[in-house]
Amino acid sequence: MQNNEPGDIMAYGDYVLVLFLMISCSHAEPRCIPNADCIYTFGTTTTADCSSLNLQLPPCFKSSSNITHIILKNNSLRRIPVDLPTELEYLDLSYNEINLIDSPMIHTIYRRLKYLNLDHNGIENLTFFSVISNMSNLEFLSLKGNNNSRDTKYPSNILHGLESLLHLRIDGVEEGNFGDMFSADKIDLKLLDASGNDGVCVISHLISNVLGKFNLTHLDLSFCNIRSTEIGVLSSQAYLQYLDVSYNKMLGFRGLANVSYDLQDSAIKVLKFNKVHCTFGLGTILLRKHTIYLQNTTLEELYLDSNRLELMEIGVLPKLPKTLKLLSVGDNKVDNGIYVLQVDSMHNLEVLNVSFQIHSHTNYFEPCDDFSESCHIGPDVAHKFIDLSLSKKRIFTFYLPEKLKRLYANNNKFQYHVGELHFNNCNVEFAHFQGNHFVQIHGPLFGCYNVRYIDLSDNFCSNISSQALRFLPKLNILNVSQNLLGNSLAKDINGEIFGNNRNLSVLNLHDNKIHVLPGNLLKNNLNIQLLNISYNRIEKWTVDIRHLFQLQHLDLSNNLLTELDKTAVDLLPQHNNFTINLLGNPLECSCANLFFFDWINRHQARLLYLQNTTCSYKDGSQFSLDDVSDIVEMLQKNCSSYTPLIIVTSSFIFFFLSVTIYRIIYRYRWTIFYIYYLTKRYVFPKVEQSQRKVFYEYDAFISYAEQDRGFVFNQIRLMENDELKFCIHDRDFIPGIDIAENITNAIHNSRRIVFVMTSYFLKSYWCMFELNMARMESIYSRGGENILLLVLMENHIVREMPLSLLHVIESQSYLEYPGEDSFGNVDIFWRNLKDAIRDNQ
């Protein structure tokens, strides 16, 4: 054997010690993760939120830490931690994989713990919970989603030490022996939640003694597959205020009778009996025997939704508790019956829900245990029900409970043209009728003067009259979105539809196929704060809302607006609190929008979603309005050189066209006048025949000035004794017909036109009109025939004539009237005038 030196022996000892320490350390498993970085302060309570970090070990905390709340849910922990702060009061370990515990004395470690949540872990047997049974300060305990072994009953006394427990959430096992978990005769537990909604509950039958140890105020047994209940299950719960036995699909309304019998001596306020009938079974009837005991309670809220309820026995509603404030029978198949007229008997009812009466589930049949009380019952019961279908008989007066404030009648597919309706004792403030088929709303609605909120969205409504909302003075919020009101609103040029709703503050016209809105649509509304006209087809903003000083937001998103010129911008409110949404419009980066973009640039806070709103340039490029200052600068540069030129050019073209058109009209004014009246004679042949006459009504039409009236009546009328017939306007014009039309008719019906030419004649507008109309008649109707005969009464009259008349003297026949002292010449003048008039006979 080789001898070792002392130094070698010392080195070997050190090596063994180090090796021992390494082996020891290799077997010491870490119990926590340092520096988890999940501590933050929430309010005045120091909380560590370490949820959803995929932790397999808890964070390391100092035992002296002042942390009182720790959240470790949704991780991968397998044990209940024992190294957490001793002052801990709140611990959430839900949604982990916990099935082990490091210390049976955990109640001494967390002696101050009040809240413990162990929902949805890997706990396979309920006896596991006995390790926490001595946490005497625990007030809340949640154990949902853990009974993977499907125990049929709770082990006795597993929660015997939880003397302060007030709220227990636990899976419902088959026998449902909740009281056996506690050793004491009476437990102060107030809230018991065994619902299978967020856990597991398989209680098929509730026996009478399962809750005897408790004085509950809240009990949730929904989603528990309960088929039957014994009378007496709830008889010991004198303080019970809330009970939910919904979604026990085989329980039926017969279960309601047993439950309500036990509630007669309780403090029940809320009873939920939703979905206690199978989804695809026959329709059900609510009988008086189902609810008869409820009248002895102080129930305030009753929920009977989703039960395929079709009819109610007469007398059910009047026998409901007088304290009832809310009744919900939504998602059923309730038909109209005489019980509808008994709704007003519920004098204290404040909320009524009758929504979703359209889902029949007729694609499948499923037998239910309450088959004997379904709608297949014979005539001995069916004769009690009377059908008052509104589709067969119109009912114009509705009687409502006088305290009813909220009415929900959504998605019932009411297919009515709403005409004049009267309501009695109506104090409804909130009315929900969305999802129906009110295609026409004419109104008016009388009696509901306190309505503040109406939802008529998604009703396929195409017309709402100016009278429909007239008698709703307190209306504050109106939702008529998702309808077809575009054409109806476009016709409201005087703002009558909403004109009587002066308190309207929210108006929703979203998705109504609106193309254009009249400028005065909202002229009578001063208090609107929110106006939603999104998802329509508006191409130009024309509504004047400058007077809406309280308007905070205008939603014009997803329309077809390409521009908002100065006229449109001037119609918007100018106060600082006003905002607008133009997202989804095809705005153009054009000169027409320069004013608008400049306005936005100066008030960028007014346009919401600035960075997501874009405009298109003429080359197709897109610009975000987040860079609106750059857009303004670009448009100012591109538009400035063209604007003056466009204005000057447009003005010159307009002036030139105006002058040209004026000269043409002035030059051919008499032709135009004549053609107008000639056309009128063709269009209205009964007034005057337009064909050329061979035989005329008058031999001559005498045209003279009013100042020469004496000469005409004293001299020319003498010629009528020689079988000549003259038309003189003072005598022969037809009263009630336009002067110009009388003149053209007289000229057209006379063989010759005699003009008594004096200085007064030249100054008379109508004399000159008669002269020019006669010329047009000669040219256009008589083929250039000489029908004008001028009588010159004054020697100097030719010198006073305008140049436009001199050629008439040269081309037409005329006679000069001799002086008063030439008697022989006067006789010759009258003979020549007669011959000239007879010349064409």
Side-chain angles (χ1 to χ4, degrees):
M1 182 173 180
Q2 184 177 359
N3 294 328
N4 295 322
E5 296 294 331
D8 294 334
I9 295 174
M10 182 64 67
Y12 178 78
D14 292 342
Y15 172 78
V16 173
L17 178 61
V18 171
L19 181 62
F20 175 78
L21 291 174
M22 291 179 62
I23 293 174
S24 300
C25 292
S26 67
H27 288 285
E29 296 183 6
R31 301 174 63 176
C32 62
I33 298 176
N35 301 321
D37 194 24
C38 57
I39 298 176
Y40 68 95
T41 299
F42 179 76
T44 59
T45 303
T46 302
T47 302
D49 187 350
C50 307
S51 58
S52 304
L53 296 178
N54 198 27
L55 299 177
Q56 295 183 351
L57 295 173
C60 295
F61 299 99
K62 295 180 180 179
S63 60
S64 60
S65 171
N66 62 345
I67 294 176
T68 58
H69 288 57
I70 296 179
I71 303 173
L72 287 166
K73 69 178 181 180
N74 198 25
N75 283 294
S76 300
L77 303 178
R78 299 182 62 84
R79 292 180 172 84
I80 296 181
V82 295
D83 297 327
L84 300 181
T86 57
E87 300 297 314
L88 194 63
E89 297 180 1
Y90 182 106
L91 178 59
D92 188 346
L93 294 170
S94 59
Y95 293 92
N96 278 279
E97 301 171 7
I98 295 174
N99 57 10
L100 298 172
I101 190 167
D102 286 341
S103 172
M105 302 298 292
I106 192 170
H107 63 279
T108 62
I109 300 172
Y110 302 130
R111 62 185 183 279
R112 297 176 60 89
L113 196 64
K114 296 180 179 179
Y115 179 104
L116 177 60
N117 190 340
L118 289 170
D119 285 353
H120 297 279
N121 279 280
I123 302 170
E124 297 181 355
N125 195 289
L126 292 174
T127 56
F128 175 88
F129 301 127
S130 61
V131 298
I132 59 176
S133 63
N134 291 314
M135 293 183 179
S136 58
N137 290 317
L138 202 62
E139 297 178 358
F140 176 94
L141 176 61
S142 188
L143 306 171
K144 289 287 191 75
N146 279 295
N147 189 21
N148 297 322
S149 65
R150 297 295 187 269
D151 293 342
T152 60
K153 63 185 302 184
Y154 301 111
S156 298
N157 301 329
I158 60 170
L159 302 178
H160 67 279
L162 302 183
E163 300 174 356
S164 300
L165 191 63
L166 299 176
H167 191 169
L168 174 62
R169 287 167 37 88
I170 193 169
D171 291 327
V173 296
E174 186 173 342
E175 295 187 15
N177 57 326
F178 300 102
D180 293 344
M181 294 185 292
F182 301 89
S183 58
D185 294 335
K186 277 295 181 180
I187 306 299
D188 289 335
L189 190 69
K190 301 301 181 186
L191 291 87
L192 176 59
D193 181 356
S195 172
N197 185 35
D198 55 350
V200 177
C201 187
V202 289
I203 305 173
S204 60
H205 180 68
L206 277 175
I207 58 178
S208 59
N209 62 346
V210 295
L211 302 172
K213 291 185 178 182
F214 308 130
N215 289 314
L216 299 174
T217 59
H218 290 69
L219 176 61
D220 191 346
L221 294 174
S222 60
F223 294 92
C224 280
N225 299 302
I226 299 174
R227 293 173 176 266
S228 62
T229 62
E230 291 184 0
I231 291 180
V233 173
L234 302 172
S235 59
S236 61
Q237 305 306 308
Y239 302 101
L240 189 63
Q241 300 179 23
Y242 175 95
L243 174 62
D244 189 352
V245 288
S246 302
Y247 290 87
N248 292 292
K249 300 180 183 179
M250 297 297 175
L251 183 58
F253 285 140
R254 68 185 183 283
L256 177 59
N258 287 355
V259 169
S260 59
Y261 179 85
D262 287 348
L263 295 176
Q264 293 182 88
D265 297 322
S266 71
I268 192 68
K269 300 297 181 186
V270 179
L271 175 58
K272 293 189 174 182
F273 233 78
N274 302 327
K275 198 73 172 180
V276 295
H277 184 77
C278 55
T279 303
F280 301 108
L282 293 175
T284 59
I285 298 176
L286 187 63
L287 302 174
R288 281 180 291 182
K289 68 179 181 179
H290 296 146
T291 61
I292 188 64
Y293 301 112
L294 288 178
Q295 65 181 327
N296 300 323
T297 69
T298 57
L299 189 67
E300 295 181 358
E301 297 182 15
L302 176 60
Y303 298 85
L304 299 172
D305 303 325
S306 307
N307 284 306
R308 296 183 66 78
L309 178 62
E310 293 193 20
L311 293 173
M312 297 182 189
E313 188 176 8
I314 299 172
V316 168
L317 296 179
K319 292 298 182 180
L320 290 178
K322 300 302 180 184
T323 55
L324 196 65
K325 296 181 179 179
L326 182 150
L327 175 62
S328 181
V329 290
D331 190 25
N332 282 292
K333 300 173 62 180
V334 176
D335 200 357
N336 296 301
I338 199 170
Y339 47 83
V340 173
L341 303 179
Q342 298 180 327
V343 172
D344 65 328
S345 65
M346 297 181 285
H347 300 297
N348 292 304
L349 195 68
E350 297 179 0
V351 180
L352 176 61
N353 176 25
V354 292
S355 300
F356 294 97
Q357 305 295 326
I358 59 174
H359 302 297
S360 60
H361 305 294
T362 55
N363 59 321
Y364 180 74
F365 173 74
E366 178 182 358
C368 302
D369 284 4
D370 60 335
F371 185 81
S372 61
E373 294 174 2
S374 296
C375 282
H376 75 290
I377 59 176
D380 57 321
V381 176
H383 76 276
K384 299 179 181 180
F385 309 102
I386 300 175
D387 184 9
L388 288 179
S389 175
L390 292 179
S391 62
K392 298 177 181 178
K393 181 180 180 180
R394 293 184 179 180
I395 298 178
F396 295 102
T397 301
F398 294 87
Y399 295 84
L400 301 175
E402 59 184 353
K403 292 187 178 181
L404 188 66
K405 301 297 182 183
R406 295 177 180 268
L407 176 60
Y408 297 88
N410 308 328
N411 297 91
N412 287 325
K413 302 306 177 189
F414 291 144
Q415 301 184 27
Y416 301 138
H417 285 213
V418 181
E420 181 177 326
L421 296 178
H422 295 259
F423 294 89
N424 190 39
N425 293 329
C426 179
N427 290 298
V428 173
E429 295 181 3
F430 300 86
H432 300 256
F433 289 98
Q434 59 264 37
N436 290 292
H437 284 163
F438 294 144
V439 294
Q440 301 277 341
I441 303 178
H442 298 289
L445 310 178
F446 294 100
C448 290
Y449 305 117
N450 295 315
V451 171
R452 296 192 290 120
Y453 176 100
I454 295 181
D455 190 340
L456 290 168
S457 60
D458 193 18
N459 264 280
F460 298 94
C461 183
S462 61
N463 181 43
I464 182 168
S465 76
S466 60
Q467 301 295 317
L469 308 174
R470 181 179 178 184
F471 297 103
L472 302 175
K474 295 184 180 180
L475 186 61
N476 185 252
I477 299 175
L478 177 62
N479 184 358
V480 288
S481 62
Q482 294 180 287
N483 282 290
L484 306 169
L485 294 174
N487 292 334
S488 181
L489 295 174
K491 298 175 182 178
D492 188 22
I493 58 176
N494 295 317
E496 296 178 341
I497 293 179
F498 311 117
N500 293 288
N501 310 119
R502 303 299 176 89
N503 290 310
L504 196 63
S505 64
V506 178
L507 178 58
N508 190 346
L509 300 174
H510 161 88
D511 191 9
N512 261 287
K513 310 299 182 292
I514 298 173
H515 292 269
V516 64
L517 291 173
N520 291 328
L521 179 70
L522 302 173
K523 71 174 185 179
N524 297 312
N525 304 98
L526 303 177
N527 297 310
I528 293 182
Q529 300 177 23
L530 175 61
L531 181 58
N532 186 350
I533 318 181
S534 61
Y535 286 90
N536 283 290
R537 301 171 183 175
I538 297 176
E539 298 181 5
K540 187 175 182 180
W541 180 250
T542 55
V543 184
D544 188 355
I545 55 176
R546 289 173 291 183
H547 60 288
L548 300 182
F549 300 112
Q550 299 186 44
L551 186 63
Q552 298 179 15
H553 183 61
L554 170 62
D555 191 345
L556 285 173
S557 60
N558 296 285
N559 276 278
L560 300 178
L561 292 166
T562 58
E563 63 181 48
L564 274 86
D565 55 15
K566 186 178 186 304
T567 302
V569 173
D570 287 343
L571 295 175
L572 301 177
Q574 300 301 316
H575 58 268
N576 295 330
N577 294 328
F578 171 69
T579 60
I580 186 172
N581 180 8
L582 293 172
L583 191 66
N585 281 281
L587 295 173
E588 295 179 354
C589 301
S590 63
C591 297
N593 268 335
L594 178 57
F595 181 85
F596 171 67
F597 290 139
D598 183 58
W599 181 71
I600 290 298
N601 189 36
R602 289 181 282 110
H603 309 91
Q604 293 193 20
R606 294 191 177 184
L607 185 63
L608 300 185
Y609 310 108
L610 195 67
Q611 67 278 12
N612 296 323
T613 306
T614 61
C615 66
S616 302
Y617 196 55
K618 57 185 178 182
D619 60 1
S621 56
Q622 298 282 328
F623 292 90
S624 170
L625 265 62
D626 197 26
D627 303 320
V628 66
S629 58
D630 297 335
I631 297 175
V632 171
E633 184 178 351
M634 176 187 68
L635 292 179
Q636 286 177 337
K637 183 182 299 183
N638 294 340
C639 300
S640 59
S641 57
Y642 297 104
T643 302
L645 179 61
I646 292 173
I647 295 175
V648 172
T649 304
S650 300
S651 301
F652 176 77
I653 293 174
F654 177 77
F655 176 76
F656 177 77
L657 290 176
S658 300
V659 171
T660 302
I661 293 172
Y662 173 77
R663 288 176 61 86
I664 292 173
I665 292 175
Y666 183 79
R667 180 175 180 181
Y668 297 100
R669 63 191 184 281
W670 302 117
T671 303
I672 294 172
F673 273 125
Y674 179 76
I675 293 174
Y676 166 74
Y677 288 107
L678 183 63
T679 303
K680 190 172 182 180
R681 286 199 296 271
Y682 275 103
V683 175
F684 302 103
K686 293 182 179 180
V687 176
E688 178 59 46
Q689 295 294 331
S690 60
Q691 293 84 356
R692 181 175 179 180
K693 293 182 177 293
V694 177
F695 300 99
Y696 294 94
E697 183 177 352
Y698 302 103
D699 292 301
F701 168 63
I702 310 300
S703 175
Y704 58 92
E706 185 64 24
Q707 290 84 351
D708 302 320
R709 182 171 178 270
F711 172 79
V712 172
F713 273 81
N714 295 330
Q715 301 295 331
I716 294 182
R717 284 183 60 189
L718 295 175
M719 292 191 297
E720 287 187 314
N721 297 328
D722 295 330
E723 297 181 355
L724 292 177
K725 186 178 181 181
F726 297 148
C727 179
I728 301 173
H729 73 262
D730 288 300
R731 181 188 64 189
D732 300 313
F733 276 10
I734 300 174
I737 297 180
D738 182 63
I739 296 177
E741 189 171 351
N742 262 317
I743 292 173
T744 55
N745 289 337
I747 292 174
H748 188 66
N749 291 323
S750 302
R751 179 181 294 105
R752 299 294 293 270
I753 316 300
V754 178
F755 297 96
V756 180
M757 305 290 293
T758 66
S759 57
Y760 298 115
F761 183 96
L762 298 177
K763 296 176 182 179
S764 171
Y765 169 80
W766 288 114
C767 289
M768 298 305 294
F769 181 84
E770 290 166 347
L771 176 61
N772 284 284
M773 288 297 102
R775 291 172 56 201
M776 297 302 106
E777 174 76 12
S778 172
I779 296 171
Y780 293 104
S781 290
R782 307 196 191 183
E785 178 184 346
N786 183 9
I787 64 172
L788 278 67
L789 184 57
L790 280 64
V791 177
L792 306 182
M793 298 295 296
E794 300 171 355
N795 294 330
H796 57 82
I797 190 65
V798 175
R799 292 194 299 272
E800 296 181 10
M801 285 185 181
L803 295 176
S804 59
L805 290 182
L806 290 177
H807 75 282
V808 177
I809 299 296
E810 297 173 356
S811 60
Q812 302 294 333
S813 302
Y814 70 90
L815 294 173
E816 293 184 11
Y817 184 75
E820 294 293 336
D821 55 348
S822 303
F823 295 102
N825 292 337
V826 171
D827 293 335
I828 296 172
F829 167 80
W830 291 116
R831 186 170 55 251
N832 290 338
L833 181 58
K834 293 176 185 179
D835 292 340
I837 293 173
R838 292 193 180 102
D839 184 52
N840 291 335
Q841 285 185 344

